[in-house]
Amino acid sequence: MNNLKYLIDELKMNESNSLLISKQETLIEKLCQQELIKEIVSIYQHKNKEFELKEIHIYDNAIVIQNLYFELSKCYHEIKFTKTKNNDGLYVIILYNVQGKEFIIANNEQQMKRIQVLLKRFCINKNFFGKYQLLQRNCLPISQAIKNNSEEHCTQVYEKKLLKDPKEFQIFHNSITIMHTLKYKPGSPKLYEDNQKYYILGEKMKLQSLENLLLNGFDFREIPFVSIIYMILQNLQKYQQRNIYHGNINLSSVFINIENETLEVIILFPRYVENSNYTIENDLYNLGILIYQITFYTTSNRIKQYVDLDLINRIHNQMADQSFKQNQYLFLYRVSQLDLLKQLLSPNITLKRAIKHQWFVTIQQNIRHQQIHKQLNPIFLPTIVEISDSLIISSSLNEGKIANFNHQQSIQDQDPEEYQPIKCQIINTIRMIPSKRKHDEASQYLMKSKTVPNSQVKRASLPEITKQTTVK
């Protein structure tokens, strides 16, 4: 490729630095499990000052060449077509930022287009306000396309001035890589910018945080409450499967799609740092804090910032007495809720134990009891919850797919020690809040018992639940 010296001189390639760095012990090394495409292209070698044929692999948000990589969300891209007397024309792909440039020559137009599609998906796109308008609708901001008002995207907005610290800048790009890897649909998220801000465009959803819902008086009834916690744990399974953590589980990072027919939980704003002592157990601890803040929330519009372990233990002991009735905390329902809370706040909890906790088993029994009465009594209307095959076993973790609620087949011969995630399809009570009369009619059929023996659990539908002391 030495005959390309004219091109090297014209684009001043000798004056640029390479963007490639080692991927050893990085987030990319952990998440690069399945390439999107691989191509043999001519790539400029900054050390040798010439082009060489290399095989490149494009993953979610990264181009990898052997043991080196660079993140596409940090780059702009452009494609130049150059033609001389000696050839029919070359497509030169330029990826660049303030740190350096990479130059790739595509072999033909078809190869260029295959690469271009992915660069448009992962690289920084300019001129956000030339394509979208940003709408505030009492939820996560919505980006609405100017030329097509039906095209809308939930949008995360970041101030560039808050990302000047190199650590915060890398956390931001790590979050983009994680979102791409755990994406719900192809093509999302997508990164735009203007002079002051970055905009991460996701799917068309109307998202409200648990913090916003709590402060605005949403009634966290037990079934939606326990389903939200369970779905958070299911999301954390996906992180643990990839040997990473979320790093930012709290009321303001967990969102509900308030327009979806079924309950949909979205966790945003991950804060992953390479070579950190933070683990998934820290995420579980923070989930415990989240449960505490909802459980002990009062109408004072103030969310508790500190966990009172003495309060938890005192009420736990009181509720062990079946004759005790507490009415101070609206979202505290049973002893097993407090037991899960105590376990999440302890140093010995694991994700496997948490997701098999008795609170989830008890609610499953209650739902089945409720469904029986729905069949026997037509008054029982679907005002609170609908379950597809109750709470059923799915194999989502073994498929490597990220969509929360894909229809998946049960595994018959699975190791009982493997995760057995439950697929919940709960009617979104945030979108479809029933009348008080209907709720009161339904409530009389909903089992409120604080003690349900383990022997009543149907192992055929929920196998190998953790063998533990029964806590209700």
Side-chain angles (χ1 to χ4, degrees), residues 62-110:
I63 288 182
V64 176
I65 304 172
Q66 296 176 330
N67 63 337
L68 303 175
Y69 84 102
F70 60 95
E71 291 166 289
L72 292 173
S73 62
K74 293 181 179 178
C75 298
Y76 306 93
H77 80 281
E78 62 178 293
I79 298 176
K80 292 182 178 292
F81 180 76
T82 178
K83 190 172 183 180
T84 68
K85 295 179 180 179
N86 299 327
N87 59 57
D88 295 329
L90 297 173
Y91 292 95
V92 183
I93 301 169
I94 306 173
L95 295 148
Y96 63 97
N97 58 33
V98 295
Q99 303 296 324
K101 294 181 179 181
E102 295 296 339
F103 302 90
I104 298 171
I105 296 179
N107 296 320
N108 50 59
E109 184 179 5
Q110 290 73 29

Side-chain angles (χ1 to χ4, degrees), residues 61 69 141 264 270 276 310-312 341 396 405 413:
N61 199 34
Y69 84 102
E264 187 175 12
S276 169
D310 291 335
L311 173 64
I312 298 172
L341 175 55
S396 56
F405 310 115
D413 301 317

Side-chain angles (χ1 to χ4, degrees), residues 221-228 231 261-263 363-364 366-372 374 380-391 423-430 432-434 438-439 442-443 446:
R221 296 173 190 153
E222 186 175 22
I223 291 176
F225 186 11
V226 76
S227 299
I228 289 169
M231 290 178 186
E261 289 289 346
T262 55
L263 183 61
I363 296 307
Q364 182 191 35
N366 291 356
I367 290 170
R368 285 189 177 141
H369 181 84
Q370 175 179 314
Q371 289 180 319
I372 291 172
K374 283 172 62 178
F380 193 97
L381 300 175
T383 57
I384 298 179
V385 61
E386 289 283 357
I387 302 295
S388 175
D389 193 21
S390 185
L391 300 177
K423 182 173 69 174
C424 303
Q425 293 198 346
I426 313 293
I427 282 291
N428 192 343
T429 56
I430 300 168
M432 232 175 79
I433 299 176
K438 287 184 178 181
H439 178 257
S443 294
L446 183 61

